[in-house]
Amino acid sequence: MGRYIIRRLLNMLVVVLVVSIITFGLMHAIPGGPFSREKKLPEETIRVLNERYHLDDPLWKQYGNYVYAVFIPHITTTPPSNSLSDDFMINVNIGSVWIRWMNFGPSYKSRSRSVNDIFRDNLPISAQLGLLSLILAVLIGLPLGVLSALKQNTILDYLGMGVAIFGVSVPVIVLGPILVWIFGVALKWLPVSGWGSHPPFLLGFLPTNFGWQYIKYAIMPTVALGLGSSAVIARLTRASLLQTVREDYIRTARSKGLRESVIISRHALKNSLIPVITILGPLFATLVTGTFVTELIFGIPGMGKYFVTSITNRDYPVIMGTILLYAVFLVLANLLVDIAYAYLDPRIKYD
Amino acid sequence: MRKLYITFCLLIALSMLLTACGATGGAGQDLKILYTSFSGEGDVPTLDPAIAEDTSSIQIIEETFIGLTNINEVTSAVEPGMATDWEETINSDGTVTITFNMRDDVSWVRWNGEEVEKVKSCDGDDRMVTASDFAYGIQRNQDPAVASPYAYLLGIVLKGAAEFNSGETSDFSTVGVDVIDDSTIALTFLAPAAYNSQIAGLWVARPQPKWLIEGDECTEAVGERWGEAEFFQSYGPFTLKEWIHDSSLTIVKNPFWPGTDEIPVSKIDEINFKMLDVTVQFAEYEAGTIDASDVPLDAIDRIKADPVLSKEYLIAPEQCSYFYGFNNQAEFTNDVRVRRALSLAVDRQSLVDNVTKGGQEPAQWFSRPGLAAAPTIASHPDLGISFDAEAAQAELQSYLDDKGITAADVDLTLLFNTSSTHQKIAEAIQQMWKDTLDLDVKLINQEFAVFLETTDGPNAPQIFRSGWCLDYPDANNFIRDVFASGGNTNAVDADGTLNGIQWVNEDFDELVIAAALESDPAIRLAMYAEAEEILVDKDAAIAPIYWYSLNKITKPYIIRTYGVTGHEAYEKWDILPH
Amino acid sequence: MTTNNVLLRVKNLVKHFPITQGILFQKHVGTVHAVDDVSFNIHKGETLGLVGESGCGKSTIGRTILQLYRPTSGSVVYDGVDLVALHGEELRKIRRNIQMIFQDPYASLNPRMSVGEIIGEPLAVHKIASKNEIKERVEHLLELVGLNPAFANRFPHEFSGGQRQRIGVARALSLQPAFIVCDEPISALDVSIQAQVVNLLEELQEQFGLTYLFIAHDLSMVQHISDRVAVMYLGVIVELADQDKLYTKPLHPYTQALLSAVPIPNPASEVKRKSIILQGEVPSPINPPSGCRFHTRCPIKESICTETRPEFRELEPGHFVACHFAERFI
């Protein structure tokens, strides 16, 4: 297993490199640049800006420098400085030597921040919201799916699946403002926008306050974001469970004289979880790295908008950073899913 | 080390929890705190005057750093800022030197986590704002290594600045900035233009704390990060207290600001700016958590109908213009009759009443009235162009007869950048052209950066959407900076290739250049009026559509001014007990 | 071999599956007549073979006996108790005595459980044995079916088809049942393995005095193991007789047709034999033919066959047949 994980992590490096090449190529291929403005900047200014950010270098050199800055650990005796272009994600001090790794560069748009600053300040908030939503989605989706499957074609099933269809078909962009209107503006029970925790974070990503001050901000976005995902999980659980209960070994279990609850929990549910676990991987990566619409509607300072605005701004380092971040999360999430398979199904073995 | 860090974090968490439990009510109730919001894409990009280029950055800079001159946010008039007075001398080489006499009683300050304190020099004295700080600020703005997107503003007026910025010389003493003593600075401008003193007061020419950016014996250099809340130093009526990126920014009153007639000491203690989408912002306003908000366009009808909200709602002019540019070299639009017909056929009043709805004003010409030397509807009611269906039809018919073609043969394309607002406007105007001229104009939209690439280039489409907001409140910044040959939307490449509207009119160019140097305001106004007439009617090189307005909603207990220059002067606001 | 000691009495068993349409308001649009009025007895210690083409309802009978399907009507009396009337706990308890071996040794074992868990689970559920006893029992059972007791910790996918079916048998035996429904236990296995499993079942029957209902889709499979054989066609039993009688003197044209298709090891007699090839397809159980179900394909069909359903009569002692003209073959 250990060797398998190491091999997968090495594969991940390759995947991330390939993703970085494609992203780099695409973002330079689309027309317009980071300094396109409605108020056109003078050519001289653009030349100066390009020079500063080394955008006047040939593309292969720019990419080479990027790979060097991001992927290759730097070993140096100079301590970290306050410079935006010298901001590494990982800085380890051993005696007089610094090992520094992953410099994603400065943002062209937010000129006071580096991409690592954005990761440090915004990613934890997206991750908190994403994890809460994922937990909510599982807590709602799984029981709903099981209930619907067990009471197939009864009113409970229709009710459960009705909720699920509602969850899928009413997007956050509709549900969000409705929630805000009811609970934020009309009833004033919950804050309209914002997030209850700000940098610096505990261990880099955990909120420093868990009380009502935190929860009250989290409730609406978590529900708005989690409901859609819970619907997906519910439908998948239902379909998968319905298929599993028709398996011969469920009949075997029944013929053993097991209680129905034992048959479902011991024999059916665990076997039907595999497809659910499979989608939890990409769902995790998507939710945790930030969701544009939800964060916009609830005014949450997360990562989500950078996936969109970095592209409209042609903010190259932020584009690269966000895409690579997503790629890493996706690959890691899928690795976790694969490891989970091995626990769920003894037929799957890695070596 | 790691363990220590974790323990530290836990302690912080614990203390935060305890303070959160303890601090319910109590202290701070008598503080006047204003809650408002920035609209737009999120975080304030920077607080560094040298590199700032967007409204939210400049807003905070305006409140924390004061320029040599100050532009009144309501009247757009130039008034004393850090300089109490200034005098102009015309030099023998045609350049003009303005000598500014500065206040010497303004100290640099910072928020130390508890309160605003004066910044001390290494000798323990207060660090006062000096002429050298201004010189350093201008130098940073022009430094090619800093790469300011707005370096050109000073570049077009300040002697030697463009050469320094392009790296032709690295000797800053060649630039027309002379520190005479701590409270006297002389700036030398290329020509005696009316707007020299305006540009000298803009954010691109503000002091910056050299000791903080580059370090000195008693200060650690923090470089580009000096704009962060933990380092920030300023001297204006406010200074930065807290900046939670992408979420909120708080400025706090600077009690050491001496207060002047133009820039008083703030009555408000703190201003908290959230960074919210305009819809969210308005929801917060309705929930009562922010005091002043922008207004989403789709809420305007509801606000107007609401007895409470309608009283809190105000439309103020905003110094921006919305227009359609014509490619003056492209097929069909290369004939002035077609361009004029298209422009005459746009019913601007109907457009602002039924489509944009935000209180915009139909534009008869380009420069937004209210700018220095720009014509106004009151002074020039018949200037420019406005909706006239019959005249439009006559113009087009004359063209069609000439060419021996019909309206169906006229193949036109309108390009705009992808956005629902631009889409609605384009569709409405497309319909007007159909109804009045029987022309079928194709609509195309492109993603913003792609759109800019297309419209800025030599292959600009026949008709394209564009807009312009002020950098400095003078007609020159509109009509000349945008449309004179080589201007923003009429650029000319080094090899002579025309871009943008691709319009050549030497009379117009000569007129706007002369107007810039004219010292008599009445003659200047007449010259710009004549230039507008050429631009929008005689040549109909563009079709002005509307002048922008601000849609603001403010709680009744807020006393405020409405800034037309793109930013507010919060030091003039107040909060009544409520 | 036949005694009057009846262990299981199936009487007028009917199992219909409704076909519905619509989501919220379900409309009944048809019925699958899977089992239609079937009666037979199984005696203690015997093996009753149940043969029929796939889809004829034979597996449904097996599952209905175990109450895995609830019958539409009729009764299943096991050892004097009508299983149809039982519910919940009572039913679960009596299931200890009636077990089933399934056709597909791959699908019928939970892939997530080790062999020990699969075999031991019923013991734990019915609280028959302690943890240690269960372990011993599992090892004993594995040995009994010819597997290495050390395999208890392995998972089903690590075994071959024949081994898996042995696991299935061990699982069925774990509760020491008196009656086992073997639902095509050898159909999915290689021919070489089939005999091994059949022999195992016979040995166990001898050792524990088990009673089997042995379901198969082909007469040759049940010949060896069965004491009596019942032939099913489209939801009804058409013929039931002692094994030797049925194979030597079949009285129903369908049985005759089936037998004519069974390969005979002796090529000489194979040549002489007249093969009866049935015409047409098996009709749909949703809309079964009127009268005799077999009339659409019967070589000796007459008009009465389309109108009147033939009685399932005891033409000779212990030899039941449902054909109007069975006398012709005596």
Side-chain angles (χ1 to χ4, degrees):
Chain A
M1 193 63 137
R3 276 173 61 196
Y4 169 77
I5 292 173
I6 289 170
R7 208 175 61 220
R8 284 285 298 264
L9 289 176
L10 288 177
N11 280 348
M12 178 173 90
L13 207 62
V14 177
V15 168
V16 169
L17 267 170
V18 170
V19 167
S20 75
I21 291 178
I22 295 172
T23 311
F24 190 87
L26 283 177
M27 77 185 183
H28 281 282
I30 46 175
F35 310 116
S36 305
R37 299 282 191 276
E38 179 128 50
K39 287 190 173 191
K40 206 156 40 149
L41 298 181
E43 265 174 57
E44 196 52 41
T45 306
I46 292 181
R47 191 187 61 74
V48 167
L49 281 162
N50 282 338
E51 203 172 281
R52 178 189 155 85
Y53 292 117
H54 306 290
L55 292 170
D56 50 353
D57 287 341
L59 279 184
W60 61 265
K61 194 175 171 198
Q62 288 183 42
Y63 181 71
N65 286 338
Y66 187 80
V67 168
Y68 175 70
V70 170
F71 292 91
I72 313 290
H74 296 219
I75 297 166
T76 161
T77 49
T78 22
S81 72
N82 276 311
S83 166
L84 290 176
S85 32
D86 184 42
D87 185 5
F88 289 80
M89 186 182 278
I90 289 169
N91 299 288
V92 182
N93 189 5
I94 305 168
S96 63
V97 176
W98 285 86
I99 299 173
R100 313 185 63 202
W101 192 32
M102 290 196 272
N103 175 4
F104 287 92
S107 162
Y108 299 162
K109 168 81 179 174
S110 285
R111 284 196 62 178
S112 58
R113 294 169 91 192
S114 67
V115 179
N116 277 330
D117 284 333
I118 294 172
F119 286 165
R120 278 190 281 263
D121 294 348
N122 297 44
L123 182 59
I125 291 175
S126 286
Q128 289 165 23
L129 172 62
L131 279 175
L132 287 174
S133 309
L134 199 66
I135 291 168
L136 184 81
V138 171
L139 286 184
I140 296 178
L142 218 51
L144 203 65
V146 171
L147 194 72
S148 295
L150 295 187
K151 306 285 174 190
Q152 193 196 359
N153 295 338
T154 66
I155 194 77
L156 269 175
D157 181 20
Y158 300 134
L159 213 66
M161 284 304 105
V163 171
I165 288 167
F166 176 84
V168 169
S169 52
V170 177
V172 176
I173 203 162
V174 175
L175 183 63
I178 293 175
L179 288 176
V180 167
W181 175 252
I182 297 175
F183 298 104
V185 177
L187 297 173
K188 295 193 172 59
W189 289 352
L190 298 169
V192 168
S193 71
W195 193 248
S197 183
H198 297 300
F201 295 101
L202 208 57
L203 302 178
F205 74 103
L206 288 174
T208 42
N209 55 326
F210 289 105
W212 174 241
Q213 277 300 319
Y214 179 78
I215 294 165
K216 70 177 182 185
Y217 284 99
I219 291 176
M220 287 198 290
T222 304
V223 168
L225 188 56
L227 209 62
S229 310
S230 78
V232 175
I233 292 174
R235 291 169 60 84
L236 201 62
T237 307
R238 177 180 181 271
S240 173
L241 193 56
L242 279 179
Q243 202 181 347
T244 311
V245 295
R246 292 201 181 94
E247 294 282 350
D248 285 357
Y249 59 79
I250 297 300
R251 213 166 44 225
T252 309
R254 206 162 272 147
S255 76
K256 284 176 183 176
L258 301 188
R259 272 193 194 86
E260 201 60 27
S261 56
V262 178
I263 294 173
I264 296 303
S265 60
R266 256 182 81 87
H267 291 258
L269 198 55
K270 280 186 187 165
N271 279 299
S272 62
L273 275 184
I274 285 192
V276 180
I277 298 284
T278 309
I279 62 147
L280 283 185
L283 198 62
F284 170 83
T286 308
L287 291 180
V288 164
T289 53
T291 39
F292 175 66
V293 176
T294 311
E295 290 177 4
L296 184 79
I297 290 173
F298 295 100
I300 295 167
M303 278 297 295
K305 73 161 167 294
Y306 285 98
F307 282 88
V308 179
T309 57
S310 66
I311 295 171
T312 52
N313 292 330
R314 306 289 192 270
D315 197 341
Y316 295 146
V318 183
I319 297 178
M320 291 295 285
T322 48
I323 301 281
L324 290 188
L325 177 84
Y326 183 70
V328 166
F329 267 81
L330 191 62
V331 174
L332 281 181
N334 280 333
L335 175 60
L336 286 179
V337 165
D338 287 347
I339 292 170
Y341 283 165
Y343 283 97
L344 278 176
D345 191 338
R347 284 173 297 183
I348 299 168
K349 282 237 164 62
Y350 305 116
D351 42 38
Chain B
M1 183 64 205
R2 184 67 173 271
K3 260 187 195 150
L4 203 69
Y5 176 70
I6 294 171
T7 324
F8 180 68
C9 288
L10 282 171
L11 277 175
I12 286 185
L14 198 67
S15 66
M16 279 180 131
L17 216 67
L18 289 174
T19 46
C21 295
T24 43
Q29 272 184 345
D30 46 356
L31 282 183
K32 287 185 182 175
I33 303 177
L34 176 80
Y35 295 93
T36 183
S37 176
F38 293 123
S39 305
E41 276 188 357
D43 202 17
V44 175
T46 180
L47 296 188
D48 185 345
I51 54 175
E53 58 170 322
D54 76 293
T55 331
S56 62
S57 300
I58 295 168
Q59 172 69 71
I60 300 301
I61 290 165
E62 289 292 341
E63 296 300 277
T64 49
F65 303 88
I66 298 297
L68 286 168
T69 58
N70 188 54
I71 294 159
N72 186 289
E73 83 285 2
V74 180
T75 63
S76 302
V78 179
E79 54 188 28
M82 282 296 285
T84 48
D85 57 274
W86 52 92
E87 58 213 52
E88 263 185 63
T89 341
I90 309 252
N91 303 319
S92 53
D93 59 355
T95 60
V96 56
T97 299
I98 307 182
T99 307
F100 294 90
N101 297 311
M102 290 165 48
R103 310 183 66 88
D104 57 4
D105 56 352
V106 180
S107 165
W108 285 89
V109 297
R110 60 187 281 263
W111 174 260
N112 65 7
E114 303 271 317
E115 56 180 7
V116 178
E117 66 175 17
K118 290 188 178 182
V119 176
K120 302 289 182 189
S121 70
C122 295
D123 304 331
D125 303 329
D126 294 344
R127 282 198 199 264
M128 307 307 281
V129 179
T130 64
S132 308
D133 297 340
F134 272 97
Y136 178 68
I138 293 172
Q139 182 176 349
R140 266 193 92 230
N141 176 256
Q142 292 299 311
D143 186 347
V146 172
S148 166
Y150 259 106
Y152 72 92
L153 263 185
L154 285 172
I156 54 174
V157 293
L158 195 65
K159 186 185 140 219
E163 291 76 12
F164 181 74
N165 181 237
S166 66
E168 246 172 75
T169 171
S170 55
D171 179 6
F172 188 66
S173 67
T174 59
V175 182
V177 178
D178 295 295
V179 176
I180 293 166
D181 59 40
D182 270 359
S183 57
T184 316
I185 187 167
L187 302 180
T188 302
F189 296 91
L190 293 167
Y195 42 81
N196 283 344
S197 55
Q198 281 183 349
I199 294 181
L202 293 182
W203 77 97
V204 290
R206 300 274 163 94
Q208 287 142 40
K210 183 178 183 180
W211 54 93
L212 184 63
I213 299 169
E214 297 178 7
D216 66 5
E217 308 92 84
C218 58
T219 319
E220 190 202 346
V222 296
E224 297 148 298
R225 293 201 188 269
W226 76 273
E228 296 294 317
E230 50 184 318
F231 307 122
F232 191 78
Q233 297 180 2
S234 70
Y235 58 86
F238 292 90
T239 192
L240 180 64
K241 179 184 175 187
E242 183 187 52
W243 184 3
I244 302 168
H245 284 284
D246 273 309
S247 178
S248 79
L249 185 150
T250 306
I251 55 176
V252 59
K253 170 177 153 181
N254 170 12
F256 305 110
W257 173 251
T260 67
D261 292 346
E262 296 77 21
I263 306 156
V265 174
S266 172
K267 302 182 191 75
I268 296 175
D269 296 290
E270 271 182 29
I271 304 172
N272 176 269
F273 297 89
K274 297 191 188 313
M275 299 161 198
L276 298 172
D277 176 73
V278 65
T279 314
V280 185
Q281 197 180 125
F282 185 61
E284 287 278 17
Y285 180 84
E286 287 196 273
T289 43
I290 64 176
D291 305 314
S293 167
D294 290 339
V295 172
L297 291 182
D298 53 13
I300 287 176
D301 288 340
R302 183 163 67 81
I303 292 170
K304 285 177 178 165
D306 187 294
V308 177
L309 293 177
S310 58
K311 291 203 191 81
E312 302 170 3
Y313 172 62
L314 193 115
I315 297 171
E318 184 180 14
Q319 291 188 326
C320 302
S321 293
Y322 191 99
F323 66 94
Y324 277 179
F326 296 116
N327 179 340
N328 284 250
Q329 306 296 327
E331 195 185 6
F332 305 117
T333 49
N334 56 8
D335 192 294
V336 66
R337 288 167 294 183
V338 176
R339 299 196 298 266
R340 207 181 287 137
L342 289 168
S343 187
L344 284 166
V346 177
D347 185 349
R348 294 162 177 85
Q349 190 66 50
S350 161
L351 188 78
V352 299
D353 288 346
N354 303 314
V355 181
T356 62
K357 292 185 182 174
Q360 294 84 354
E361 296 168 44
Q364 284 174 227
W365 57 85
F366 178 62
S367 301
R368 178 70 164 107
L371 295 162
T376 63
I377 295 288
S379 69
H380 295 79
D382 300 320
L383 182 69
I385 200 159
S386 54
F387 177 55
D388 185 337
E390 278 172 34
Q393 286 153 359
E395 291 280 354
L396 184 66
Q397 200 53 51
S398 144
Y399 172 79
L400 295 176
D401 292 347
D402 240 25
K403 300 276 170 185
I405 55 175
T406 66
D409 300 324
V410 180
D411 183 16
L412 292 171
T413 302
L414 164 62
L415 179 73
F416 55 96
N417 54 302
T418 313
S419 127
S420 59
T421 313
H422 298 323
Q423 172 104 30
K424 277 189 223 162
I425 293 169
E427 281 167 357
I429 292 179
Q430 181 190 39
Q431 190 59 44
M432 290 171 188
W433 285 332
K434 177 72 188 161
D435 292 346
T436 309
L437 302 172
D438 200 26
L439 288 175
D440 289 305
V441 177
K442 281 197 286 293
L443 302 187
I444 297 179
N445 66 83
Q446 288 178 348
E447 190 265 347
F448 192 52
V450 181
F451 164 85
L452 291 178
E453 189 101 341
T454 315
T455 54
D456 283 348
N459 299 316
Q462 291 153 314
I463 315 166
F464 57 91
R465 179 214 74 82
S466 193
W468 183 260
C469 291
L470 88 168
D471 298 315
Y472 54 96
D474 190 280
N476 186 71
N477 180 230
F478 272 60
I479 193 159
R480 179 178 165 198
D481 287 349
V482 182
F483 295 121
S485 192
N488 185 75
T489 313
N490 196 18
V492 183
D493 290 346
D495 63 359
T497 312
L498 299 176
N499 299 308
I501 62 169
Q502 303 177 26
W503 175 54
V504 186
N505 186 319
E506 281 161 16
D507 294 345
F508 174 85
D509 288 353
E510 279 170 25
L511 190 59
V512 289
I513 290 166
L517 304 175
E518 176 56 52
S519 52
D520 182 335
I523 301 175
R524 232 185 136 218
L525 172 62
M527 291 167 93
Y528 282 125
E530 193 189 337
E532 292 284 1
E533 190 69 25
I534 298 172
L535 176 71
V536 303
D537 190 19
K538 189 164 159 284
D539 277 13
I542 63 153
I545 305 291
Y546 64 76
W547 292 314
Y548 280 59
S549 64
L550 290 171
N551 286 267
K552 296 282 183 188
I553 190 155
T554 316
K555 295 289 182 191
Y557 49 81
I558 303 291
I559 295 177
R560 65 170 291 179
T561 58
Y562 286 88
V564 299
T565 50
H567 59 264
E568 304 288 354
Y570 291 101
E571 64 276 10
K572 297 179 183 169
W573 291 30
D574 198 2
I575 305 173
L576 300 176
H578 59 279
Chain C
M1 194 75 182
T2 53
T3 71
N4 284 327
N5 197 353
V6 174
L7 181 66
L8 184 86
R9 189 187 301 279
V10 173
K11 203 158 179 229
N12 302 111
L13 189 70
V14 177
K15 179 64 192 171
H16 289 172
F17 293 101
I19 307 168
T20 55
Q21 258 180 11
I23 295 168
L24 206 50
F25 302 101
Q26 293 200 335
K27 209 168 66 186
H28 185 97
V29 295
T31 305
V32 178
H33 300 256
V35 177
D36 228 345
D37 195 6
V38 165
S39 302
F40 62 89
N41 297 337
I42 300 179
H43 305 289
K44 217 168 243 171
E46 79 160 344
T47 300
L48 175 67
L50 182 60
V51 177
E53 290 168 276
S54 52
C56 73
K58 55 190 192 299
S59 286
T60 308
I61 288 184
R63 289 170 194 178
T64 315
I65 288 171
L66 263 80
Q67 302 299 309
L68 292 176
Y69 296 152
R70 287 300 193 157
T72 310
S73 67
S75 62
V76 178
V77 180
Y78 173 82
D79 209 10
V81 182
D82 186 359
L83 301 181
V84 178
L86 294 186
H87 290 281
E89 203 64 5
E90 292 171 319
L91 186 61
R92 283 202 320 111
K93 282 195 174 132
I94 209 152
R95 278 205 174 131
R96 290 172 52 173
N97 301 322
I98 314 172
Q99 283 295 312
M100 193 154 179
I101 298 168
F102 295 95
Q103 171 178 3
D104 185 345
Y106 292 89
S108 62
L109 302 176
N110 189 332
R112 287 198 55 260
M113 295 170 85
S114 71
V115 168
E117 285 171 323
I118 290 171
I119 299 173
E121 190 183 29
L123 299 170
V125 168
H126 291 282
K127 299 192 181 76
I128 287 169
S130 72
K131 230 174 173 183
N132 282 337
E133 286 168 340
I134 290 176
K135 194 167 173 281
E136 274 172 39
R137 281 281 281 280
V138 167
E139 285 173 1
H140 174 69
L141 282 163
L142 283 173
E143 232 167 330
L144 207 59
V145 297
L147 291 173
N148 184 342
F151 289 174
N153 291 325
R154 298 201 181 173
F155 289 91
H157 67 276
E158 297 172 74
F159 295 92
S160 71
Q163 287 174 317
R164 285 160 154 246
Q165 200 54 295
R166 286 168 191 268
I167 295 166
V169 172
R171 205 259 320 137
L173 286 176
S174 66
L175 287 169
Q176 296 176 310
F179 176 53
I180 297 179
V181 174
C182 307
D183 188 3
E184 303 204 45
I186 57 172
S187 308
L189 303 178
D190 287 349
V191 180
S192 58
I193 313 289
Q194 286 182 351
Q196 290 178 16
V197 173
V198 169
N199 290 340
L200 173 68
L201 289 171
E202 281 190 318
E203 279 166 32
L204 293 169
Q205 183 170 40
E206 218 159 283
Q207 200 173 341
F208 299 108
L210 297 170
T211 305
Y212 291 148
L213 173 63
F214 195 98
I215 300 170
H217 59 256
D218 157 349
L219 276 168
S220 62
M221 283 187 184
V222 296
Q223 186 172 14
H224 179 65
I225 192 170
S226 303
D227 299 310
R228 292 189 301 144
V229 176
V231 178
M232 268 191 96
Y233 182 80
L234 213 56
V236 295
I237 294 184
V238 293
E239 188 166 5
L240 171 64
D242 285 350
Q243 181 261 124
D244 49 346
K245 275 194 197 155
L246 190 102
Y247 283 82
T248 51
K249 205 171 85 181
L251 295 184
H252 197 281
Y254 178 63
T255 315
Q256 291 163 358
L258 285 184
L259 277 172
S260 79
V262 173
I264 295 168
N266 179 355
S269 54
E270 175 77 49
V271 173
K272 278 189 281 174
R273 197 156 58 125
K274 195 175 80 188
S275 155
I276 305 167
I277 295 162
L278 293 176
Q279 300 298 315
E281 293 290 312
V282 181
S284 160
I286 297 169
N287 209 351
S290 60
C292 176
R293 295 248 161 126
F294 188 58
H295 81 250
T296 55
R297 303 169 79 195
C298 185
I300 57 166
K301 178 191 91 165
E302 292 193 13
S303 62
I304 183 175
C305 300
T306 61
E307 289 150 19
T308 317
R309 184 164 168 174
E311 196 193 335
F312 190 53
R313 43 202 178 112
E314 191 166 12
L315 208 60
E316 289 183 346
H319 196 150
F320 297 81
V321 64
C323 177
H324 294 296
F325 306 109
E327 283 82 356
R328 292 185 195 173
F329 304 110
I330 291 176

